[in-house]
Amino acid sequence: LPTPAPSQLNDIVETSPEAPPELLRDGRADLEHKQIRLIDPSVVPETTHHELWETVRDEIERGNVKSAEATLTNLPATALTETKTRLYTAVLWNNLGIQLEKAGGTAASMHAFKKASSLDATSPTIQLNLAHAYWELRDPGMTQNFLEQLVAMAPNEPFPHLALAELFQERNELGEAARHLEQASPRSGKDPAVQSYLRTVTAKVRGAEKSEERLTSRNSTHFTVKFNGEADQTTR
């Protein structure tokens, strides 16, 4: 795929709101947890554990996170043998994660999102919530492979493209970073947090490109000759 020209990166910035991004201490834009989403838990599977699921669901909705987490942690093995109950348990862990985040911050919610992800690896909402937690904590679990799978799972979401752009920029793979910025821009909508992150990553990529251009210009008059075989020191 072609690498976007610098002018295209300028267009990405110019289509963003004028308000400056709010930055964290490491220079990244502040993505608020408005993007972390609940999953509707209202339809409880008809199983022998139906009442147990209802109890946990209601505890989560009331904010009784300790009792809900204790019950989910100590579920009987038979509760997860059926696909429908396993997927519903993933929903409960996901929604518990959001309640834990509200009470104790992202670090308190990470294990719940990981548990939800392990029970349902196909839910875009769960994987996006986990990705936001990874991003917030700079967790090594947010790998290129994880983000590329998320792009395939949620093709219209800008966040995984922005996270990939930042990842490639940090590796100095600026062509790939610019490509993902180009993908993120039309998907960013009007969400202030996404727009802020878009501006921040775009600025990083543009700054890295300018630094590379200066280095290329500075070294353009110097040449290195490479060849096979041993050097002949008598050659001038």
Side-chain angles (χ1 to χ4, degrees), residues 6 27 34 41 52-53 61 68 72 75 101-102 110 120 145 179 198 202 209 219 221 223 225 227 232:
K34 293 175 183 177
L52 177 62
W53 298 141
E61 290 181 351
L72 286 174
L75 286 174
E101 191 280 331
K102 289 178 180 177
M110 174 72 84
D120 184 2
N145 183 59
R179 182 172 72 84
L198 174 64
T202 301
E209 285 181 333
N219 296 327
T221 58
F223 299 92
V225 178
F227 55 88
D232 184 352

Short mmCIF file of all heavy atoms in Angstrom, two decimals, residues 6 27 34 41 52-53 61 68 72 75 101-102 110 120 145 179 198 202 209 219 221 223 225 227 232:
data_model
loop_
_atom_site.label_atom_id
_atom_site.label_comp_id
_atom_site.label_asym_id
_atom_site.label_seq_id
_atom_site.Cartn_x
_atom_site.Cartn_y
_atom_site.Cartn_z
N PRO A 6 3.30 13.74 2.97
CA PRO A 6 3.19 14.67 4.11
C PRO A 6 1.96 15.54 4.06
O PRO A 6 1.38 15.87 5.08
CB PRO A 6 4.49 15.50 4.00
CG PRO A 6 5.46 14.57 3.33
CD PRO A 6 4.63 13.76 2.36
N GLY A 27 3.12 12.31 27.05
CA GLY A 27 2.87 13.01 25.80
C GLY A 27 1.72 12.45 24.98
O GLY A 27 1.38 13.00 23.95
N LYS A 34 -15.00 7.08 28.21
CA LYS A 34 -16.28 7.16 27.54
C LYS A 34 -16.38 6.08 26.46
O LYS A 34 -17.47 5.68 26.07
CB LYS A 34 -16.46 8.55 26.91
CG LYS A 34 -16.58 9.68 27.92
CD LYS A 34 -16.63 11.01 27.22
CE LYS A 34 -16.67 12.17 28.21
NZ LYS A 34 -16.65 13.48 27.56
N PRO A 41 -26.80 -7.08 29.53
CA PRO A 41 -26.84 -8.38 30.19
C PRO A 41 -28.25 -8.86 30.52
O PRO A 41 -28.43 -9.79 31.30
CB PRO A 41 -26.08 -8.10 31.49
CG PRO A 41 -26.52 -6.70 31.84
CD PRO A 41 -26.80 -5.98 30.52
N LEU A 52 -28.35 -17.96 39.42
CA LEU A 52 -27.01 -17.48 39.79
C LEU A 52 -26.59 -16.33 38.90
O LEU A 52 -26.09 -15.30 39.39
CB LEU A 52 -26.01 -18.63 39.70
CG LEU A 52 -24.54 -18.30 39.98
CD1 LEU A 52 -24.37 -17.79 41.41
CD2 LEU A 52 -23.67 -19.52 39.73
N TRP A 53 -26.82 -16.49 37.58
CA TRP A 53 -26.46 -15.40 36.65
C TRP A 53 -27.26 -14.14 36.95
O TRP A 53 -26.72 -13.03 36.89
CB TRP A 53 -26.73 -15.83 35.20
CG TRP A 53 -25.96 -17.00 34.70
CD1 TRP A 53 -26.42 -18.00 33.89
CD2 TRP A 53 -24.59 -17.33 34.95
NE1 TRP A 53 -25.44 -18.92 33.65
CE2 TRP A 53 -24.31 -18.53 34.28
CE3 TRP A 53 -23.58 -16.73 35.70
CZ2 TRP A 53 -23.07 -19.14 34.32
CZ3 TRP A 53 -22.33 -17.34 35.74
CH2 TRP A 53 -22.08 -18.52 35.06
N GLU A 61 -24.92 -4.45 38.51
CA GLU A 61 -25.68 -3.24 38.19
C GLU A 61 -25.87 -2.36 39.42
O GLU A 61 -25.97 -1.14 39.30
CB GLU A 61 -27.03 -3.63 37.58
CG GLU A 61 -26.88 -4.23 36.18
CD GLU A 61 -28.21 -4.61 35.55
OE1 GLU A 61 -29.24 -4.56 36.27
OE2 GLU A 61 -28.22 -4.93 34.36
N ALA A 68 -19.99 -9.61 43.55
CA ALA A 68 -20.11 -10.10 42.18
C ALA A 68 -18.82 -10.77 41.73
O ALA A 68 -18.83 -11.85 41.12
CB ALA A 68 -20.46 -8.95 41.23
N LEU A 72 -18.23 -14.72 40.60
CA LEU A 72 -17.68 -15.07 39.29
C LEU A 72 -16.37 -15.85 39.41
O LEU A 72 -16.11 -16.76 38.63
CB LEU A 72 -17.45 -13.80 38.46
CG LEU A 72 -18.70 -13.12 37.89
CD1 LEU A 72 -18.33 -11.80 37.21
CD2 LEU A 72 -19.40 -14.03 36.90
N LEU A 75 -17.10 -19.68 40.38
CA LEU A 75 -18.17 -20.38 39.68
C LEU A 75 -17.90 -21.89 39.64
O LEU A 75 -16.75 -22.32 39.49
CB LEU A 75 -18.27 -19.87 38.23
CG LEU A 75 -18.88 -18.49 38.02
CD1 LEU A 75 -18.76 -18.10 36.55
CD2 LEU A 75 -20.34 -18.46 38.46
N GLU A 101 -13.34 -0.29 37.19
CA GLU A 101 -12.60 0.89 36.72
C GLU A 101 -13.14 2.17 37.35
O GLU A 101 -12.37 3.05 37.74
CB GLU A 101 -12.68 0.96 35.19
CG GLU A 101 -11.74 1.97 34.55
CD GLU A 101 -12.27 3.39 34.61
OE1 GLU A 101 -13.52 3.55 34.62
OE2 GLU A 101 -11.48 4.32 34.66
N LYS A 102 -14.44 2.25 37.45
CA LYS A 102 -15.04 3.44 38.06
C LYS A 102 -14.63 3.58 39.53
O LYS A 102 -14.41 4.68 40.02
CB LYS A 102 -16.57 3.36 37.97
CG LYS A 102 -17.12 3.53 36.57
CD LYS A 102 -18.64 3.39 36.58
CE LYS A 102 -19.21 3.55 35.18
NZ LYS A 102 -20.69 3.34 35.18
N MET A 110 -8.24 -4.30 34.88
CA MET A 110 -7.54 -5.06 33.85
C MET A 110 -7.84 -6.55 33.92
O MET A 110 -8.12 -7.21 32.91
CB MET A 110 -6.03 -4.82 33.96
CG MET A 110 -5.19 -5.68 33.01
SD MET A 110 -5.34 -5.18 31.29
CE MET A 110 -4.12 -3.86 31.28
N ASP A 120 -14.47 -14.93 25.74
CA ASP A 120 -15.07 -14.59 24.44
C ASP A 120 -14.07 -13.74 23.66
O ASP A 120 -14.02 -12.52 23.82
CB ASP A 120 -16.39 -13.85 24.63
CG ASP A 120 -17.09 -13.57 23.31
OD1 ASP A 120 -16.56 -13.99 22.25
OD2 ASP A 120 -18.18 -12.96 23.32
N ASN A 145 0.12 -7.79 16.80
CA ASN A 145 -0.80 -8.86 16.43
C ASN A 145 -2.18 -8.65 17.06
O ASN A 145 -3.21 -8.80 16.39
CB ASN A 145 -0.23 -10.21 16.86
CG ASN A 145 -1.11 -11.37 16.43
OD1 ASN A 145 -1.37 -11.56 15.24
ND2 ASN A 145 -1.57 -12.16 17.39
N ARG A 179 0.22 5.14 7.21
CA ARG A 179 -0.88 4.39 6.60
C ARG A 179 -2.03 4.20 7.59
O ARG A 179 -3.19 4.35 7.24
CB ARG A 179 -0.36 3.03 6.11
CG ARG A 179 -1.43 2.19 5.42
CD ARG A 179 -0.81 0.95 4.78
NE ARG A 179 -0.40 -0.02 5.77
CZ ARG A 179 -1.22 -0.93 6.32
NH1 ARG A 179 -2.50 -0.94 5.99
NH2 ARG A 179 -0.76 -1.80 7.19
N LEU A 198 -5.77 11.49 17.76
CA LEU A 198 -5.40 11.59 16.35
C LEU A 198 -4.40 12.72 16.13
O LEU A 198 -3.37 12.54 15.46
CB LEU A 198 -6.65 11.82 15.51
CG LEU A 198 -6.44 12.08 14.01
CD1 LEU A 198 -5.82 10.88 13.33
CD2 LEU A 198 -7.77 12.44 13.34
N THR A 202 -0.50 12.08 15.06
CA THR A 202 -0.11 12.72 13.80
C THR A 202 1.08 13.64 14.01
O THR A 202 2.02 13.65 13.21
CB THR A 202 -1.30 13.51 13.22
OG1 THR A 202 -2.40 12.63 12.99
CG2 THR A 202 -0.91 14.16 11.90
N GLU A 209 9.13 12.30 10.85
CA GLU A 209 9.42 12.43 9.41
C GLU A 209 10.35 13.62 9.15
O GLU A 209 11.29 13.52 8.35
CB GLU A 209 8.12 12.60 8.63
CG GLU A 209 7.33 11.32 8.50
CD GLU A 209 6.06 11.51 7.69
OE1 GLU A 209 5.53 12.65 7.66
OE2 GLU A 209 5.61 10.53 7.10
N ASN A 219 23.28 14.01 5.39
CA ASN A 219 24.18 12.94 4.98
C ASN A 219 24.21 12.72 3.48
O ASN A 219 24.83 11.78 3.00
CB ASN A 219 23.77 11.63 5.66
CG ASN A 219 23.92 11.71 7.17
OD1 ASN A 219 24.81 12.38 7.66
ND2 ASN A 219 23.04 11.01 7.89
N THR A 221 25.70 14.13 1.06
CA THR A 221 26.96 14.28 0.34
C THR A 221 27.96 13.20 0.71
O THR A 221 29.09 13.20 0.21
CB THR A 221 27.59 15.66 0.65
OG1 THR A 221 27.79 15.76 2.07
CG2 THR A 221 26.68 16.77 0.18
N PHE A 223 28.95 9.09 0.97
CA PHE A 223 28.62 7.84 0.34
C PHE A 223 29.35 6.71 1.04
O PHE A 223 30.48 6.86 1.48
CB PHE A 223 29.01 7.85 -1.14
CG PHE A 223 28.30 8.92 -1.93
CD1 PHE A 223 28.87 10.18 -2.09
CD2 PHE A 223 27.06 8.68 -2.50
CE1 PHE A 223 28.22 11.17 -2.80
CE2 PHE A 223 26.40 9.66 -3.21
CZ PHE A 223 26.98 10.90 -3.36
N VAL A 225 30.55 2.76 0.23
CA VAL A 225 30.66 1.73 -0.80
C VAL A 225 30.71 0.38 -0.13
O VAL A 225 31.53 0.14 0.75
CB VAL A 225 31.94 1.93 -1.65
CG1 VAL A 225 32.06 0.82 -2.69
CG2 VAL A 225 31.91 3.30 -2.32
N PHE A 227 30.85 -3.90 -0.74
CA PHE A 227 31.25 -4.88 -1.73
C PHE A 227 31.51 -6.20 -1.04
O PHE A 227 31.67 -6.27 0.18
CB PHE A 227 32.52 -4.42 -2.46
CG PHE A 227 33.66 -4.09 -1.54
CD1 PHE A 227 34.57 -5.06 -1.13
CD2 PHE A 227 33.81 -2.79 -1.04
CE1 PHE A 227 35.61 -4.75 -0.27
CE2 PHE A 227 34.84 -2.49 -0.19
CZ PHE A 227 35.75 -3.46 0.21
N ASP A 232 41.05 -4.13 -0.14
CA ASP A 232 42.41 -3.96 -0.62
C ASP A 232 42.90 -2.60 -0.17
O ASP A 232 42.51 -1.58 -0.68
CB ASP A 232 42.42 -4.05 -2.16
CG ASP A 232 43.84 -3.98 -2.73
OD1 ASP A 232 44.78 -3.71 -1.94
OD2 ASP A 232 43.99 -4.20 -3.94
#
